Amino acid sequence: MKTSYGFTLIELIIVVILLGIISATALPRFLGKGGVEESTTQDQMISILRRMQTQAMQQTDSAAFCHQLILTQFQLGYPNILPCDPTETNTQLTAAANQNSGLQFMRPANSSLGLSLFNTALPTGGTSQTLPFLFRFNSLGQPVTNAGAVISSGLRIEITDVLTYRICIEREGYIHSC
């Protein structure tokens, strides 16, 4: 009796199907960025915002703690200003933003990420805000202007490169991806 060597048709079909599944899921990660940088930036910025919000709710003494955040085209962080000065304006902090030693997130030098801000917590619409933009959280966790007025429309931060990711800060203080 002659012994045959080789694969059956079923075995070959299973291998082809498995290769197709692997190439459809893993190959795009190896060939392109696919939004990984934007997603990572979104997660980092949500963490920064929630941390500052939590601190503002726990540390209510504005003479000892400043819970201001500054957003520029390249960074999100808190300026080193103590006590919080409600007379500061966004344009006065432009130079300080570039030298901010309290910086939490800064776009890498070789990155093409873009940051923008809108005056709505909805995923679309709203008016683009001029950067740098200074805001803080009050003791209830709500986003407020530097003068202390609640930002009634909420805020949306957009992170753009290959894909666009959004962070929404609701009027009530809920921070989430949207």
Side-chain angles (χ1 to χ4, degrees), residues 12-78:
L12 291 174
I13 290 174
I14 290 173
V15 168
V16 168
I17 290 173
L18 288 174
L19 286 175
I21 291 171
I22 290 171
S23 66
T25 57
L27 197 58
R29 289 208 179 254
F30 294 116
L31 295 181
K33 291 192 287 185
V36 173
E37 187 176 13
E38 296 93 323
S39 176
T40 303
T41 300
Q42 180 188 40
D43 292 342
Q44 288 175 342
M45 292 177 79
I46 287 174
S47 295
I48 292 165
L49 290 165
R50 286 181 179 163
R51 176 177 172 240
M52 189 59 75
Q53 182 186 45
T54 302
Q55 285 180 348
M57 291 188 296
Q58 293 174 348
Q59 302 166 339
T60 57
D61 181 13
S62 63
F65 302 102
C66 185
H67 304 292
Q68 292 173 324
L69 286 163
I70 187 167
L71 177 70
T72 69
Q73 288 106 347
F74 309 109
Q75 63 189 26
L76 171 70
Y78 49 95

Side-chain angles (χ1 to χ4, degrees), residues 86-108:
T87 63
E88 288 284 343
T89 64
N90 299 342
T91 54
Q92 289 174 319
L93 285 171
T94 305
N98 296 328
Q99 303 164 1
N100 185 356
S101 63
L103 186 63
Q104 294 294 319
F105 167 78
M106 185 166 191
R107 183 183 82 176

Side-chain angles (χ1 to χ4, degrees), residues 42-43 46 50 123 165-170 174-178:
Q42 180 188 40
D43 292 342
I46 287 174
R50 286 181 179 163
Y165 281 75
R166 296 171 184 86
I167 301 169
C168 290
I169 306 171
E170 305 286 342
Y174 178 52
I175 302 169
H176 61 97
S177 59
C178 55

